[in-house]
Amino acid sequence: MKEKVIDFGNERVSVLFKKLFFPTLLGMLSMSAVTTIDGIFVGHGVGSDGIAAVNICVPLLMSLMGVGLMMGAGCSVIASIYLSKGKTVLARATITQAMLFVTLISVTVGGFILAFPEETARMLGSSEHLLPLVVDYLVWFSPSLLFELWIAVALFAMRLDGAPKLAMWCSIIAAAVNVVLDWLFIFPLGWGVMGAAFATSLSCLAGAAVAMGYLLFYARDTRLHSLRPGRKKILFFFHDIGMQCKIGSSALLGELTMAILLFIGNQVFMRHLGDDGVGAFGVSCYYLPFVFMIGNAIAQSAQPIISYNFGTGSTERVRSALRVSVFAALVCGVISTAAFILFPELLVGLFLRIDNTAARIAIEGFPYYGTGFIFFILNLSIIGYYQSMEQVKPAITFAVLRGLVFLVPCFMALPAIMGVKGIWLALPLSEILTTLVIVVTFWIYSRQRAIICR
């Protein structure tokens, strides 16, 4: 199961990025496909109410996935720096502690959902009409939380260990299992949203089994190992987890941005257009994780290159990795935006019949919604750059700007000014404003650096 060792310190940066990016991108898109496949089958097997019900659950699920990405990014950055200094034992301890932490979080939250499903559904904003569907999805989806968070952390560790292709296959296997089980549970067995959630839980178990098997038995530098009890070990655990959370917090904020988008968007669409509006917004939100994962794939592909060379003091290689990641972000952003502007009927038609009311609302809104994807992906890659160098302050600042400072006011103000069109434009405007702040920050830093060098 081992792959050829990747030399992060000497191989050409653009070649390194390609080796990591394409497997990472395919793996990330496969992770997003698990939820999107649910949506396609639910849309055709249950209807727009099913999509609306699943969409109401997604903010909670994204928040938890954000915890997994936070720990994965944080432990990967710390482990990368340890490995650049030859401290393999500490790198392994960092990965193991991250796994233990996400296990505790997922079990706690999953247990709460199972104990209070209706209360959880109402907290997420479910209407009484959608409540039975939301409860069904939550109850049967909650077991997958453990496996999803294991996968989120494991994929970082596998790529750092030089196994990006195997990391990709973990996600592809999960997506393939989900396709088969979604069809079986929703159509022949007629289990509706419950079947979609159960299929997701089983498919995530399959992907997690491959990932954990690698980290337990085959990994070279990031293998899991037992954590010994003791006062110093416990203090190290809390210190290390705190550092991982701090470094990876921008990744959590990235997921929280989408969770906030979905939560507020659901409320605004419900107020303006009712359950059909939530269904239309739900279709768009099935695509948003794909766009997020593209940006995330760029950031995660550059991360081990940047972190390793930052640890060795190779500044020029760090800058080269930034240039390559920005170029990749611009190319992927243009492609994503063009797809939403040129092919809204095709994209919506995968989920709903075109003559459906929710489908018509989505088709009209997709071109506006897609205009922000260039900036969305670019912002994620820049935040990932700062995160990879343990520069937490700018990473968190930019993440908060796009997730709270700009997004919430845009959602509140634009619908009042522009109507339904303004709801679709809230995300693009928030991302554009964040990009402008990043550009100004880079410009100020460049001028200060030029003055110092004179």
mmCIF file of all heavy atoms in Angstrom, residues 10-42:
data_model
loop_
_atom_site.group_PDB
_atom_site.id
_atom_site.type_symbol
_atom_site.label_atom_id
_atom_site.label_comp_id
_atom_site.label_asym_id
_atom_site.label_seq_id
_atom_site.Cartn_x
_atom_site.Cartn_y
_atom_site.Cartn_z
ATOM 1 N N ASN A 10 13.283 19.141 -2.174
ATOM 2 C CA ASN A 10 14.167 19.333 -3.329
ATOM 3 C C ASN A 10 13.471 19.244 -4.685
ATOM 4 O O ASN A 10 13.912 19.879 -5.642
ATOM 5 C CB ASN A 10 15.302 18.288 -3.290
ATOM 6 C CG ASN A 10 16.182 18.453 -2.064
ATOM 7 O OD1 ASN A 10 16.853 19.470 -1.899
ATOM 8 N ND2 ASN A 10 16.167 17.460 -1.178
ATOM 9 N N GLU A 11 12.411 18.463 -4.787
ATOM 10 C CA GLU A 11 11.751 18.307 -6.081
ATOM 11 C C GLU A 11 11.110 19.625 -6.511
ATOM 12 O O GLU A 11 10.676 20.424 -5.677
ATOM 13 C CB GLU A 11 10.689 17.207 -5.996
ATOM 14 C CG GLU A 11 10.192 16.738 -7.358
ATOM 15 C CD GLU A 11 9.386 15.448 -7.260
ATOM 16 O OE1 GLU A 11 9.272 14.890 -6.149
ATOM 17 O OE2 GLU A 11 8.872 15.009 -8.299
ATOM 18 N N ARG A 12 11.022 19.843 -7.811
ATOM 19 C CA ARG A 12 10.454 21.082 -8.337
ATOM 20 C C ARG A 12 9.047 21.304 -7.782
ATOM 21 O O ARG A 12 8.222 20.386 -7.768
ATOM 22 C CB ARG A 12 10.422 21.010 -9.868
ATOM 23 C CG ARG A 12 10.055 22.317 -10.534
ATOM 24 C CD ARG A 12 10.127 22.158 -12.038
ATOM 25 N NE ARG A 12 9.646 23.340 -12.721
ATOM 26 C CZ ARG A 12 9.513 23.448 -14.035
ATOM 27 N NH1 ARG A 12 9.855 22.407 -14.813
ATOM 28 N NH2 ARG A 12 9.061 24.552 -14.581
ATOM 29 N N VAL A 13 8.763 22.538 -7.330
ATOM 30 C CA VAL A 13 7.511 22.824 -6.633
ATOM 31 C C VAL A 13 6.294 22.552 -7.513
ATOM 32 O O VAL A 13 5.299 21.966 -7.066
ATOM 33 C CB VAL A 13 7.499 24.282 -6.125
ATOM 34 C CG1 VAL A 13 6.109 24.675 -5.631
ATOM 35 C CG2 VAL A 13 8.516 24.449 -5.009
ATOM 36 N N SER A 14 6.329 22.973 -8.772
ATOM 37 C CA SER A 14 5.181 22.763 -9.656
ATOM 38 C C SER A 14 4.908 21.272 -9.869
ATOM 39 O O SER A 14 3.749 20.843 -9.940
ATOM 40 C CB SER A 14 5.409 23.452 -11.001
ATOM 41 O OG SER A 14 6.582 22.955 -11.630
ATOM 42 N N VAL A 15 5.970 20.471 -9.939
ATOM 43 C CA VAL A 15 5.816 19.024 -10.104
ATOM 44 C C VAL A 15 5.231 18.415 -8.829
ATOM 45 O O VAL A 15 4.336 17.569 -8.875
ATOM 46 C CB VAL A 15 7.171 18.363 -10.439
ATOM 47 C CG1 VAL A 15 7.045 16.848 -10.468
ATOM 48 C CG2 VAL A 15 7.688 18.885 -11.778
ATOM 49 N N LEU A 16 5.734 18.855 -7.678
ATOM 50 C CA LEU A 16 5.192 18.393 -6.396
ATOM 51 C C LEU A 16 3.711 18.704 -6.290
ATOM 52 O O LEU A 16 2.907 17.857 -5.874
ATOM 53 C CB LEU A 16 5.928 19.082 -5.242
ATOM 54 C CG LEU A 16 7.258 18.502 -4.770
ATOM 55 C CD1 LEU A 16 7.873 19.426 -3.725
ATOM 56 C CD2 LEU A 16 7.061 17.116 -4.193
ATOM 57 N N PHE A 17 3.333 19.930 -6.663
ATOM 58 C CA PHE A 17 1.938 20.351 -6.560
ATOM 59 C C PHE A 17 1.037 19.481 -7.440
ATOM 60 O O PHE A 17 -0.046 19.059 -7.008
ATOM 61 C CB PHE A 17 1.797 21.824 -6.952
ATOM 62 C CG PHE A 17 0.398 22.369 -6.784
ATOM 63 C CD1 PHE A 17 -0.034 22.808 -5.545
ATOM 64 C CD2 PHE A 17 -0.477 22.424 -7.851
ATOM 65 C CE1 PHE A 17 -1.320 23.305 -5.372
ATOM 66 C CE2 PHE A 17 -1.762 22.919 -7.695
ATOM 67 C CZ PHE A 17 -2.184 23.357 -6.456
ATOM 68 N N LYS A 18 1.498 19.188 -8.666
ATOM 69 C CA LYS A 18 0.703 18.334 -9.555
ATOM 70 C C LYS A 18 0.533 16.935 -8.972
ATOM 71 O O LYS A 18 -0.546 16.342 -9.044
ATOM 72 C CB LYS A 18 1.368 18.244 -10.934
ATOM 73 C CG LYS A 18 1.279 19.519 -11.755
ATOM 74 C CD LYS A 18 2.025 19.362 -13.064
ATOM 75 C CE LYS A 18 2.044 20.672 -13.860
ATOM 76 N NZ LYS A 18 2.838 20.551 -15.103
ATOM 77 N N LYS A 19 1.611 16.394 -8.404
ATOM 78 C CA LYS A 19 1.533 15.058 -7.809
ATOM 79 C C LYS A 19 0.487 14.995 -6.703
ATOM 80 O O LYS A 19 -0.202 13.983 -6.530
ATOM 81 C CB LYS A 19 2.901 14.653 -7.236
ATOM 82 C CG LYS A 19 3.920 14.221 -8.268
ATOM 83 C CD LYS A 19 5.201 13.766 -7.562
ATOM 84 C CE LYS A 19 6.243 13.284 -8.570
ATOM 85 N NZ LYS A 19 7.481 12.836 -7.897
ATOM 86 N N LEU A 20 0.389 16.084 -5.943
ATOM 87 C CA LEU A 20 -0.545 16.114 -4.823
ATOM 88 C C LEU A 20 -1.943 16.570 -5.238
ATOM 89 O O LEU A 20 -2.949 16.065 -4.737
ATOM 90 C CB LEU A 20 -0.014 17.048 -3.730
ATOM 91 C CG LEU A 20 1.247 16.582 -3.005
ATOM 92 C CD1 LEU A 20 1.826 17.727 -2.186
ATOM 93 C CD2 LEU A 20 0.943 15.404 -2.104
ATOM 94 N N PHE A 21 -2.009 17.534 -6.177
ATOM 95 C CA PHE A 21 -3.286 18.193 -6.465
ATOM 96 C C PHE A 21 -4.317 17.274 -7.113
ATOM 97 O O PHE A 21 -5.467 17.208 -6.658
ATOM 98 C CB PHE A 21 -3.063 19.423 -7.342
ATOM 99 C CG PHE A 21 -4.349 20.096 -7.755
ATOM 100 C CD1 PHE A 21 -5.188 20.661 -6.801
ATOM 101 C CD2 PHE A 21 -4.731 20.157 -9.090
ATOM 102 C CE1 PHE A 21 -6.373 21.279 -7.168
ATOM 103 C CE2 PHE A 21 -5.914 20.765 -9.468
ATOM 104 C CZ PHE A 21 -6.729 21.336 -8.508
ATOM 105 N N PHE A 22 -3.942 16.574 -8.168
ATOM 106 C CA PHE A 22 -4.958 15.801 -8.897
ATOM 107 C C PHE A 22 -5.537 14.653 -8.069
ATOM 108 O O PHE A 22 -6.763 14.480 -8.020
ATOM 109 C CB PHE A 22 -4.383 15.327 -10.237
ATOM 110 C CG PHE A 22 -4.150 16.451 -11.207
ATOM 111 C CD1 PHE A 22 -2.868 16.905 -11.486
ATOM 112 C CD2 PHE A 22 -5.221 17.095 -11.805
ATOM 113 C CE1 PHE A 22 -2.653 17.958 -12.359
ATOM 114 C CE2 PHE A 22 -5.026 18.163 -12.680
ATOM 115 C CZ PHE A 22 -3.737 18.591 -12.948
ATOM 116 N N PRO A 23 -4.719 13.866 -7.355
ATOM 117 C CA PRO A 23 -5.335 12.873 -6.460
ATOM 118 C C PRO A 23 -6.143 13.518 -5.334
ATOM 119 O O PRO A 23 -7.207 13.016 -4.970
ATOM 120 C CB PRO A 23 -4.126 12.107 -5.893
ATOM 121 C CG PRO A 23 -3.015 12.340 -6.857
ATOM 122 C CD PRO A 23 -3.247 13.708 -7.409
ATOM 123 N N THR A 24 -5.627 14.637 -4.791
ATOM 124 C CA THR A 24 -6.347 15.317 -3.710
ATOM 125 C C THR A 24 -7.680 15.856 -4.212
ATOM 126 O O THR A 24 -8.714 15.731 -3.545
ATOM 127 C CB THR A 24 -5.504 16.465 -3.134
ATOM 128 O OG1 THR A 24 -4.268 15.943 -2.656
ATOM 129 C CG2 THR A 24 -6.229 17.164 -1.998
ATOM 130 N N LEU A 25 -7.672 16.457 -5.410
ATOM 131 C CA LEU A 25 -8.905 16.999 -5.980
ATOM 132 C C LEU A 25 -9.936 15.909 -6.212
ATOM 133 O O LEU A 25 -11.109 16.056 -5.836
ATOM 134 C CB LEU A 25 -8.595 17.723 -7.296
ATOM 135 C CG LEU A 25 -9.807 18.303 -8.041
ATOM 136 C CD1 LEU A 25 -10.476 19.380 -7.190
ATOM 137 C CD2 LEU A 25 -9.388 18.869 -9.394
ATOM 138 N N LEU A 26 -9.511 14.797 -6.813
ATOM 139 C CA LEU A 26 -10.449 13.704 -7.048
ATOM 140 C C LEU A 26 -10.984 13.139 -5.740
ATOM 141 O O LEU A 26 -12.171 12.815 -5.619
ATOM 142 C CB LEU A 26 -9.763 12.599 -7.864
ATOM 143 C CG LEU A 26 -9.477 12.932 -9.332
ATOM 144 C CD1 LEU A 26 -8.658 11.825 -9.978
ATOM 145 C CD2 LEU A 26 -10.782 13.132 -10.098
ATOM 146 N N GLY A 27 -10.109 13.027 -4.740
ATOM 147 C CA GLY A 27 -10.545 12.543 -3.436
ATOM 148 C C GLY A 27 -11.525 13.492 -2.779
ATOM 149 O O GLY A 27 -12.551 13.075 -2.222
ATOM 150 N N MET A 28 -11.240 14.793 -2.844
ATOM 151 C CA MET A 28 -12.114 15.795 -2.250
ATOM 152 C C MET A 28 -13.478 15.819 -2.933
ATOM 153 O O MET A 28 -14.532 15.898 -2.277
ATOM 154 C CB MET A 28 -11.468 17.183 -2.357
ATOM 155 C CG MET A 28 -10.302 17.390 -1.437
ATOM 156 S SD MET A 28 -10.869 17.640 0.257
ATOM 157 C CE MET A 28 -9.311 17.909 1.059
ATOM 158 N N LEU A 29 -13.468 15.781 -4.265
ATOM 159 C CA LEU A 29 -14.735 15.783 -4.999
ATOM 160 C C LEU A 29 -15.540 14.528 -4.697
ATOM 161 O O LEU A 29 -16.771 14.560 -4.652
ATOM 162 C CB LEU A 29 -14.471 15.909 -6.505
ATOM 163 C CG LEU A 29 -13.837 17.230 -6.957
ATOM 164 C CD1 LEU A 29 -13.657 17.238 -8.473
ATOM 165 C CD2 LEU A 29 -14.681 18.424 -6.520
ATOM 166 N N SER A 30 -14.846 13.421 -4.487
ATOM 167 C CA SER A 30 -15.544 12.182 -4.124
ATOM 168 C C SER A 30 -16.190 12.301 -2.749
ATOM 169 O O SER A 30 -17.289 11.798 -2.522
ATOM 170 C CB SER A 30 -14.566 11.002 -4.142
ATOM 171 O OG SER A 30 -14.041 10.795 -5.433
ATOM 172 N N MET A 31 -15.503 12.993 -1.809
ATOM 173 C CA MET A 31 -16.097 13.233 -0.488
ATOM 174 C C MET A 31 -17.375 14.047 -0.616
ATOM 175 O O MET A 31 -18.403 13.733 0.003
ATOM 176 C CB MET A 31 -15.100 13.971 0.410
ATOM 177 C CG MET A 31 -13.968 13.120 0.951
ATOM 178 S SD MET A 31 -12.793 14.105 1.921
ATOM 179 C CE MET A 31 -13.831 14.664 3.274
ATOM 180 N N SER A 32 -17.331 15.091 -1.431
ATOM 181 C CA SER A 32 -18.526 15.909 -1.635
ATOM 182 C C SER A 32 -19.616 15.123 -2.340
ATOM 183 O O SER A 32 -20.808 15.343 -2.115
ATOM 184 C CB SER A 32 -18.179 17.147 -2.465
ATOM 185 O OG SER A 32 -17.241 17.946 -1.803
ATOM 186 N N ALA A 33 -19.196 14.195 -3.203
ATOM 187 C CA ALA A 33 -20.169 13.414 -3.972
ATOM 188 C C ALA A 33 -21.050 12.556 -3.076
ATOM 189 O O ALA A 33 -22.191 12.255 -3.434
ATOM 190 C CB ALA A 33 -19.443 12.534 -4.988
ATOM 191 N N VAL A 34 -20.545 12.171 -1.896
ATOM 192 C CA VAL A 34 -21.349 11.334 -0.996
ATOM 193 C C VAL A 34 -22.659 12.035 -0.658
ATOM 194 O O VAL A 34 -23.752 11.461 -0.768
ATOM 195 C CB VAL A 34 -20.562 11.004 0.295
ATOM 196 C CG1 VAL A 34 -21.462 10.331 1.320
ATOM 197 C CG2 VAL A 34 -19.377 10.099 -0.022
ATOM 198 N N THR A 35 -22.566 13.324 -0.251
ATOM 199 C CA THR A 35 -23.777 14.073 0.088
ATOM 200 C C THR A 35 -24.576 14.437 -1.160
ATOM 201 O O THR A 35 -25.810 14.387 -1.162
ATOM 202 C CB THR A 35 -23.403 15.362 0.853
ATOM 203 O OG1 THR A 35 -22.626 15.013 1.998
ATOM 204 C CG2 THR A 35 -24.639 16.097 1.302
ATOM 205 N N THR A 36 -23.881 14.773 -2.252
ATOM 206 C CA THR A 36 -24.570 15.171 -3.465
ATOM 207 C C THR A 36 -25.342 14.010 -4.074
ATOM 208 O O THR A 36 -26.459 14.189 -4.581
ATOM 209 C CB THR A 36 -23.548 15.721 -4.487
ATOM 210 O OG1 THR A 36 -22.843 16.807 -3.891
ATOM 211 C CG2 THR A 36 -24.243 16.195 -5.748
ATOM 212 N N ILE A 37 -24.768 12.826 -4.027
ATOM 213 C CA ILE A 37 -25.474 11.641 -4.522
ATOM 214 C C ILE A 37 -26.756 11.428 -3.741
ATOM 215 O O ILE A 37 -27.808 11.100 -4.298
ATOM 216 C CB ILE A 37 -24.556 10.406 -4.437
ATOM 217 C CG1 ILE A 37 -23.422 10.516 -5.462
ATOM 218 C CG2 ILE A 37 -25.355 9.112 -4.692
ATOM 219 C CD1 ILE A 37 -22.267 9.570 -5.192
ATOM 220 N N ASP A 38 -26.677 11.641 -2.411
ATOM 221 C CA ASP A 38 -27.895 11.592 -1.593
ATOM 222 C C ASP A 38 -28.951 12.528 -2.172
ATOM 223 O O ASP A 38 -30.124 12.173 -2.293
ATOM 224 C CB ASP A 38 -27.594 12.024 -0.151
ATOM 225 C CG ASP A 38 -26.948 10.923 0.668
ATOM 226 O OD1 ASP A 38 -26.867 9.787 0.166
ATOM 227 O OD2 ASP A 38 -26.530 11.199 1.797
ATOM 228 N N GLY A 39 -28.513 13.757 -2.478
ATOM 229 C CA GLY A 39 -29.452 14.763 -2.977
ATOM 230 C C GLY A 39 -30.089 14.370 -4.289
ATOM 231 O O GLY A 39 -31.293 14.580 -4.497
ATOM 232 N N ILE A 40 -29.304 13.809 -5.206
ATOM 233 C CA ILE A 40 -29.849 13.399 -6.503
ATOM 234 C C ILE A 40 -30.910 12.323 -6.323
ATOM 235 O O ILE A 40 -32.019 12.407 -6.875
ATOM 236 C CB ILE A 40 -28.716 12.907 -7.424
ATOM 237 C CG1 ILE A 40 -27.782 14.072 -7.790
ATOM 238 C CG2 ILE A 40 -29.284 12.263 -8.688
ATOM 239 C CD1 ILE A 40 -26.537 13.662 -8.541
ATOM 240 N N PHE A 41 -30.598 11.306 -5.536
ATOM 241 C CA PHE A 41 -31.563 10.225 -5.323
ATOM 242 C C PHE A 41 -32.767 10.697 -4.515
ATOM 243 O O PHE A 41 -33.905 10.318 -4.806
ATOM 244 C CB PHE A 41 -30.880 9.043 -4.630
ATOM 245 C CG PHE A 41 -30.062 8.194 -5.562
ATOM 246 C CD1 PHE A 41 -28.679 8.300 -5.597
ATOM 247 C CD2 PHE A 41 -30.673 7.280 -6.407
ATOM 248 C CE1 PHE A 41 -27.928 7.532 -6.460
ATOM 249 C CE2 PHE A 41 -29.924 6.496 -7.266
ATOM 250 C CZ PHE A 41 -28.542 6.616 -7.302
ATOM 251 N N VAL A 42 -32.522 11.544 -3.498
ATOM 252 C CA VAL A 42 -33.637 12.065 -2.705
ATOM 253 C C VAL A 42 -34.533 12.955 -3.556
ATOM 254 O O VAL A 42 -35.766 12.891 -3.468
ATOM 255 C CB VAL A 42 -33.109 12.845 -1.475
ATOM 256 C CG1 VAL A 42 -34.227 13.652 -0.812
ATOM 257 C CG2 VAL A 42 -32.494 11.893 -0.466
#
